[in-house]
Amino acid sequence: MSSTVTPELSARLGYLLKHAQERLRGLTTAALAPHGIDGRQLAVLLVLAEGEPPSQHEAAGRLGIDRTTMVGLLDALEEKRLVARRPDARDRRRNVVALTDTGRRTLAAARTASTEAERRFLERLTASQAEQFRVLLRTVVLDA
Amino acid sequence: MSSTVTPELSARLGYLLKHAQERLRGLTTAALAPHGIDGRQLAVLLVLAEGEPPSQHEAAGRLGIDRTTMVGLLDALEEKRLVARRPDARDRRRNVVALTDTGRRTLAAARTASTEAERRFLERLTASQAEQFRVLLRTVVLDA
DNA sequence: TATTGTTATACTCTATAACTATA
DNA sequence: TATAGTTATAGAGTATAACAATA
């Protein structure tokens, strides 16, 4: 975790991205802990809240994970009563997954906490640098 | 891997950093494959090349990983004759780890290949944007 | 035949605990 | 007593294969 920085290694993009992710994960995990979820679970809640309540398979697709991985994530969230599975009446192979009322409240609070973690992650940058950082990151990642 | 981008999720820094890392890893892995190593192994070679040849424990410290993890990394690199362990004459508990001649040649070629992967990772940015991206990333990660 | 959810299983990466040999 | 290297083991997190239910 805490590495004795060597100049050439720390100039590598791979090193920087890895450590950026580690730092943000630490901040996010701490910020979300009071709400009883972690970053991956927040991502699931966000995906369930956006657009039509999806099937498990669709939700996995939106997140870019396997449907078998989604099973375990939903098990944990359902155990906390944040989401509910119900069979799709029109295709009984599918489960429609929706947020519960508790899930919606938790999502709202967790979203705020996560945004605050992002703010702290970027706090060494000026506002315009922070905005620029987001823009550059999106350019590099999206619109492939 | 390929996620159906949902607007709110893809605006999250965690999402962007994760996917940035995935994209760079893909490019780097492909660029390094002809040289028979991956990104983690390149990081080890870089660390061994910088400053005094370290012990396994020191090398692990420079990388920020556990000494037990270093064992396996060095096993793989030694099997490929890229590094050599020799007992430290002054403290026979320690192994000094150094690059072989082959290791130095591989490192030189792999470093070039990795730099080229970084260039492709950033190719949607102008030169000054790419430089700015590195600066912002370093600011956020380093000089904690 | 194909798809959804599930389980069993395995693989990768990492760490902790315990052993050994040295100090 | 403490440290370096090693091994055994375990825990995340992920995926593939196979199965039951349904289409």
Side-chain angles (χ1 to χ4, degrees):
Chain A
M1 202 64 66
S2 72
S3 46
T4 303
V5 181
T6 60
E8 205 190 341
L9 181 61
S10 66
R12 293 271 143 195
L13 234 33
Y15 175 95
L16 293 171
L17 283 175
K18 177 186 169 193
H19 286 259
Q21 213 185 12
E22 271 171 12
R23 179 158 173 261
L24 179 61
R25 183 184 306 125
L27 291 168
T28 300
T29 299
L32 292 181
H35 306 288
I37 63 172
D38 63 21
R40 275 157 69 244
Q41 294 174 330
L42 172 57
V44 175
L45 297 184
L46 283 168
V47 144
L48 296 183
E50 225 161 9
E52 282 302 296
S55 71
Q56 298 188 191
H57 196 25
E58 286 164 354
R62 293 185 193 174
L63 275 172
I65 64 177
D66 195 84
R67 74 191 202 275
T68 63
T69 304
M70 181 58 69
V71 172
L73 286 170
L74 291 179
D75 286 349
L77 291 170
E78 196 167 42
E79 202 166 313
K80 288 184 268 204
R81 310 291 183 229
L82 302 179
V83 311
R85 292 159 155 125
R86 64 170 174 75
D88 184 335
R90 293 184 301 278
D91 180 348
R92 296 201 336 278
R93 293 173 303 183
R94 314 168 94 229
N95 282 340
V96 173
V97 188
L99 295 176
T100 62
D101 287 344
T102 307
R104 263 181 291 277
R105 283 193 298 271
T106 296
L107 171 57
R111 188 195 273 121
T112 302
S114 163
T115 300
E116 170 62 13
E118 293 189 0
R119 192 198 59 71
R120 290 184 50 202
F121 175 75
L122 297 171
E123 72 189 351
R124 291 173 200 146
L125 305 182
T126 67
S128 90
Q129 282 176 327
E131 178 54 27
Q132 178 75 349
F133 182 70
R134 286 182 186 275
V135 168
L136 296 176
L137 207 43
R138 294 170 87 130
T139 304
V140 153
V141 168
L142 303 174
D143 41 86
Chain B
M1 202 65 65
S2 71
S3 47
T4 303
V5 181
T6 60
E8 205 190 342
L9 181 63
S10 65
R12 294 269 143 195
L13 233 32
Y15 176 95
L16 292 171
L17 282 175
K18 178 185 170 197
H19 286 259
Q21 213 185 13
E22 270 171 13
R23 178 158 174 260
L24 179 61
R25 183 183 308 123
L27 291 168
T28 300
T29 298
L32 292 181
H35 307 287
I37 64 173
D38 61 23
R40 275 158 68 244
Q41 294 174 330
L42 171 58
V44 175
L45 297 183
L46 283 168
V47 145
L48 297 181
E50 225 161 7
E52 282 302 295
S55 71
Q56 297 187 192
H57 196 23
E58 287 165 352
R62 292 185 193 173
L63 275 172
I65 63 176
D66 195 84
R67 72 194 203 275
T68 64
T69 305
M70 181 58 68
V71 172
L73 287 169
L74 291 178
D75 285 349
L77 291 170
E78 196 166 42
E79 202 166 311
K80 286 184 266 202
R81 309 295 183 223
L82 301 179
V83 310
R85 291 159 156 125
R86 65 172 172 75
D88 184 335
R90 294 184 301 278
D91 182 347
R92 299 205 328 282
R93 292 173 304 185
R94 315 169 90 228
N95 282 340
V96 173
V97 188
L99 295 176
T100 62
D101 287 344
T102 307
R104 264 181 291 276
R105 283 193 298 272
T106 297
L107 171 56
R111 188 196 274 120
T112 302
S114 163
T115 300
E116 170 61 15
E118 292 189 0
R119 192 197 59 70
R120 289 183 50 200
F121 175 75
L122 298 171
E123 72 188 354
R124 290 172 201 147
L125 305 182
T126 67
S128 90
Q129 282 177 326
E131 178 53 25
Q132 177 74 349
F133 182 71
R134 285 182 187 275
V135 168
L136 296 176
L137 206 44
R138 294 170 86 130
T139 303
V140 153
V141 168
L142 303 175
D143 40 86

